[in-house]
Amino acid sequence: MNKMSKLTDLTIAEALDGLAAKHFTSVELTDAHIAASEAARPLNAYITENFDAAREAAKASDARRAQGEAGALEGIPVGIKDLFCTEGVRTTAASHILDGFIPPYESTVSGKLKAAGTISLGKLNLDEFAMGSSNGTSYHGPVISPWKRTGSDVDLVPGGSSGGSAAIVAARGVMAATGTDTGGSIRQPAAFCGIVGLKPTYGRCSRWGIVAFASSLDQAGPMTRSVKDAALMLNSMAGFDPKDSTSANIAVPDFTKALTGDVRGLKVGVPAEYRVDGTSPEIVKLWDQGIDWLKQAGAEIVSVSLPHTKYALATYYIIAPAEASANLARYDGVRFGLRVPGNTLDEMYENTRAAGFGHEVQRRILIGTYVLSAGYYDAYYLKAQKVRALIADDFKKAFEQCDVLLTPTAPTPAFGLNEKNDDPIAMYLNDVFTVPASLAGLPGLAVPTGLSSDGLPLGLQILGRPFDEETVIRVGGVLETAAAFTARPTFGQGA
């Protein structure tokens, strides 16, 4: 058992070295993570477990390695957010409306990871159609964070929408997981669960085969326990895809080479507008500490202004639901998924969508349909698009003065499971620090950098220029080293 628990403590980089040196096999590594995933079932992180297939894949991986045909991530156990279509494996987007949907094809990103040699342990829980900041909107029930406040038994949220991914990586059930980020859905759960979350530049990873929420915002990225692991995952996930019209035809560097440990002479921007009311004082203090760490490492700190930040949330909650209402029109009970019969075709549509979509998804479809309707299109949607352009322009001007920006990731640590359920506005405010970069399509990295007074993880966020993940990763590596975050979630510690 000791060896098993040791195997689940390894980073991807360490596991690849161990596999290459024949210290253990992929079968052993996979079995250790399956055991940890089984122990973590109370967290409800998986929608579909794929453990038997994973064991078979691990055997095949060991055979490839023995023949000298190891891929870049050969033998590494991962989890796939259940928004990525997986050939022959149920894909639900955490919605009742996709009941019974088994895709006949594989998403580009999960396919690339498979080709690199990863072993998928299964499909991970999320907010329904990725709509939420707490992982409380899933048809399959909420994911529970592996963390607890010191001296408290209250269940906490893992963040959303990639909550299953964040929780199971933190609980050491997989070495890494895929997430998607539309307005912060990789970075915010990473901060809540004390792991690393990387949202690449919009267009860096293919969206093909990912169930769409908001097409101009959605971006896949890795969730890991170290910055180097995030770089290793991104190496295999990124790349041009002719099947995705928004995919960028830009060469993929080796992102691990960016981890030089040296930020001397780099300019780090600190946006004044991110000092938002309602931010936990502990997070503000940690932000100041992060600024100090980078200054000590030789970076130059620059004050910058992002004047349109205050409009970002309102803009996002017009554009994202508008795109969602268009994307979710395809779920009508005709071709796949749930069908609730009716006396007429219209009635069948209505019955299916009423039964199939949860409250938050219905709310966003209604908001989106409203802002796209004839009388309101100009007043809301077009205006939001103009403000979005101004927000992107703010970042452009800021990056004339600096190389990266340093901000908090979320305004508070993780909150209790049912604390904000009845208050959608309070829930939306969780995205205040992540949404602006999503609107501008920029890369962002959440790094765990400290604990709150009640023992919960807190994260800082590094934002970079478009397609400059390398500088973001470089600064992230230095921040990670300075913070030396080694805290473990409470879950499984006493077991």
Side-chain angles (χ1 to χ4, degrees):
M1 185 59 209
N2 204 9
K3 183 180 183 184
M4 297 283 256
S5 60
K6 276 196 188 124
L7 289 179
T8 55
D9 282 339
L10 297 174
T11 63
I12 292 175
E14 290 163 349
L16 288 170
D17 289 346
L19 286 163
K22 298 190 169 59
H23 292 159
F24 46 83
T25 64
S26 175
V27 168
E28 290 175 304
L29 191 63
T30 300
D31 277 337
H33 285 87
I34 288 172
S37 286
E38 287 172 340
R41 278 181 183 143
L43 303 179
N44 198 30
Y46 285 90
I47 289 175
T48 303
E49 294 176 346
N50 218 6
F51 297 160
D52 290 341
R55 287 191 175 99
E56 291 306 310
K59 280 180 200 160
S61 169
D62 285 331
R64 282 194 299 274
R65 191 176 285 282
Q67 286 161 3
E69 295 167 9
L73 293 169
E74 194 63 64
I76 299 298
V78 301
I80 305 292
K81 183 176 180 175
D82 200 13
L83 206 61
F84 293 78
C85 287
T86 41
E87 188 179 353
V89 179
R90 179 171 76 136
T91 299
T92 71
S95 181
H96 185 33
I97 209 158
L98 275 174
D99 266 5
F101 175 56
I102 296 178
Y105 55 89
E106 186 82 25
S107 83
T108 298
V109 165
S110 57
K112 277 171 154 310
L113 286 172
K114 199 186 258 189
T118 62
I119 313 294
S120 169
L121 264 53
K123 305 298 289 293
L124 300 169
N125 205 346
L126 63 145
D127 278 301
E128 185 182 4
F129 281 104
M131 297 180 194
S133 306
S134 67
N135 218 135
T137 69
S138 170
Y139 176 70
H140 301 276
V143 176
I144 312 291
S145 171
W147 294 81
K148 289 260 202 301
R149 295 182 185 119
T150 310
S152 165
D153 267 343
V154 173
D155 283 337
L156 303 177
V157 303
S161 65
S162 310
S165 299
I168 201 67
V169 170
R172 286 152 174 77
V174 291
M175 306 198 93
T178 62
T180 59
D181 193 307
T182 305
S185 289
I186 285 174
R187 292 161 289 158
Q188 183 250 20
F192 278 10
C193 289
I195 65 166
V196 172
L198 173 58
K199 178 194 102 69
T201 310
Y202 180 78
R204 174 66 91 179
C205 293
S206 170
R207 291 188 301 111
W208 193 83
I210 300 173
V211 177
F213 162 16
S215 303
S216 74
L217 295 155
D218 299 344
Q219 183 55 209
M223 304 178 76
T224 59
R225 289 197 302 272
S226 77
V227 175
K228 185 174 186 181
D229 284 3
L232 282 165
M233 284 285 286
L234 188 60
N235 281 351
S236 291
M237 292 169 71
F240 175 62
D241 180 7
K243 295 198 290 274
D244 171 11
S245 62
T246 58
S247 172
N249 196 353
I250 289 179
V252 178
D254 179 352
F255 292 108
T256 60
K257 287 204 167 76
L259 288 160
T260 59
D262 185 2
V263 291
R264 284 173 300 181
L266 271 187
K267 292 185 174 171
V268 176
V270 178
E273 291 79 4
Y274 277 50
R275 295 196 180 268
V276 178
D277 286 349
T279 304
S280 148
E282 293 182 314
I283 286 171
V284 175
K285 192 178 164 195
L286 185 72
W287 188 15
D288 291 335
Q289 173 70 71
I291 292 165
D292 200 47
W293 279 329
L294 292 178
K295 201 188 284 181
Q296 285 170 23
E300 186 187 328
I301 307 299
V302 188
S303 283
V304 296
S305 178
L306 299 167
H308 294 93
T309 295
K310 59 176 175 286
Y311 306 116
L313 271 181
T315 303
Y316 175 83
Y317 279 103
I318 289 170
I319 291 171
E323 295 184 8
S325 77
N327 277 325
L328 271 59
R330 70 190 68 166
Y331 302 103
D332 53 15
V334 174
R335 284 153 299 188
F336 50 79
L338 181 74
R339 177 184 297 182
V340 181
N343 294 323
T344 65
L345 185 63
D346 282 0
E347 196 177 288
M348 188 272 285
Y349 289 158
E350 288 167 7
N351 293 349
T352 300
R353 289 168 69 83
F357 290 135
H359 291 312
E360 182 59 33
V361 172
Q362 290 184 18
R363 179 187 288 125
R364 295 200 198 189
I365 289 171
L366 287 168
I367 292 170
T369 307
Y370 177 80
V371 301
L372 289 176
S373 60
Y376 298 102
Y377 184 85
D378 291 358
Y380 291 109
Y381 187 70
L382 275 190
K383 197 172 277 178
Q385 291 290 18
K386 287 173 183 166
V387 178
R388 181 182 192 169
L390 294 172
I391 289 166
D393 201 49
D394 283 351
F395 279 110
K396 209 168 168 182
K397 287 178 180 146
F399 284 124
E400 285 166 12
Q401 301 167 260
C402 63
D403 300 295
V404 294
L405 299 168
L406 181 70
T407 78
T409 311
T412 64
F415 45 89
L417 205 52
N418 300 310
E419 271 170 31
K420 298 187 182 182
N421 279 5
D422 302 327
D423 189 347
I425 304 297
M427 199 68 94
Y428 296 170
L429 287 171
N430 275 294
D431 304 332
V432 65
F433 297 131
T434 51
V435 153
S438 291
L439 288 167
L442 304 175
L445 178 70
V447 180
T449 42
L451 290 174
S452 67
S453 53
D454 49 9
L456 297 183
L458 304 172
L460 292 177
Q461 170 180 237
I462 301 140
L463 302 174
R465 296 185 180 95
F467 300 103
D468 189 15
E469 286 86 358
E470 288 160 287
T471 308
V472 170
I473 286 166
R474 185 172 146 202
V475 176
V478 169
L479 198 61
E480 178 181 57
T481 303
F485 183 89
T486 55
R488 295 279 299 262
T490 356
F491 182 83
Q493 293 301 294

